[in-house]
Amino acid sequence: MNNSFVPNTSCHNTPSIIGYSGKPTTSIIMFLAAVGGNLLALFILGVHQKEHHSRSSVFCILVTGLALTDLLGTCLLSPPVFMCYAQDTSLISLGGDRLCNLFGFAVSFFGLAPTLILCAMALERCLAISHPYFYAVHIRRSFAKFTLFFIYLFSLAFCLLPYGGYGKFRQYCPGTWCFMDMDATGDDRANLVLAFSLSYSSLMALLIFIVFVCNGSVIVSLCQMHRNHMVRRSSVVSVARKKRLSLAWFGRGEEEMDHLVLLALITVIFVVCSLPLT
C-alpha cells in the first residue's frame, strides 16, 4: 500500500490516494490470507480439543486468544482501506480526523495486543518446561483468561493515550491508513507526540526481546532434559535400548515440542513483519 517515491509529508492531509494505479490486489490477498489462516487455526484448535475430549490448556487458550484478536483486527481494519480504494479517496476524506484517529488507534491496539499475547505464550512455555513445579502449582486455566483480560485492558488504556494529548495519529501514504505520528513536524506538542511513539516502539522491542529469551531458554531446557535422561540410562542399557528410550522420551515430549515449534514459527513471522516498523 505504500509508495516509497512519495514523501509521507505530502500524505498527511491529501484528499485522494497518491500513486494509486489499478486494483488493491495486495490488500485483498493479505486480507484473505489473514482471515483464512486465523479461521483455519481456530478450526484446528477446536478439532484437537474435541478429539482429545479434554479441556483447553493454558497454552491453547492463549493461542485461541491470539487467533481471535488477529482475526478481529483484520476484519475491522480492512473495510475502510477497501472503501478508500473503491472511491479513490483518502481515509481523511472518507471520514475526517475522527476516522483517522480511530483507524490509528485500531492499528496500535491490534499491534500491541497480539505481541503481548505472544509474549505471554512464550513465558507460559518457559515456566512449564524450566519450572514445572511452580507451573503445576500456580498456573491454571483461569490464569490464562485473566492474562488475556489484562492484556486487552492494558492495550486499550495505552493506545487511548493520544486521545488525552499524549501522542497523535496521522495519515500516511498512499492515504489509506493512519498511525501514530512519528516525527511531530510543526506540532506544538512535539515532545509528547514523540514520547508516545518512542514508548510504543520501546515496549514492542522489549516484548520481542522477552519472547526470544524465553524461547531460547525453552530450547536449552529441552536439550538438557534429553541429555540428562540419556546419561542416566547410558551405563545400564544397550545401544538398541537407548535408541528406544530416546524415541520414547521424544514421544512423551511431543506436545511440548509441538508448542515450541508453533511458538517459534509465530515468533519468526511476527518479528519479520513488525520489527522493521518498530
Side-chain angles (χ1 to χ4, degrees), residues 248-264:
W249 185 91
F250 278 111
R252 289 194 299 270
E254 182 179 356
E255 185 177 3
E256 286 78 5
M257 292 301 298
D258 287 344
H259 291 168
L260 179 60
V261 170
L262 174 63
L263 191 57

Side-chain angles (χ1 to χ4, degrees), residues 155-196:
S155 300
L156 180 66
F158 189 91
C159 296
L160 282 175
L161 288 176
Y163 284 93
Y166 184 73
K168 181 181 179 182
F169 297 117
R170 176 170 285 185
Q171 181 176 272
Y172 287 91
C173 287
T176 58
W177 65 295
C178 291
F179 192 54
M180 64 185 65
D181 192 346
M182 294 176 283
D183 54 23
T185 303
D187 197 299
D188 54 357
R189 297 183 294 109
N191 291 335
L192 292 177
V193 172
L194 292 176
F196 177 73

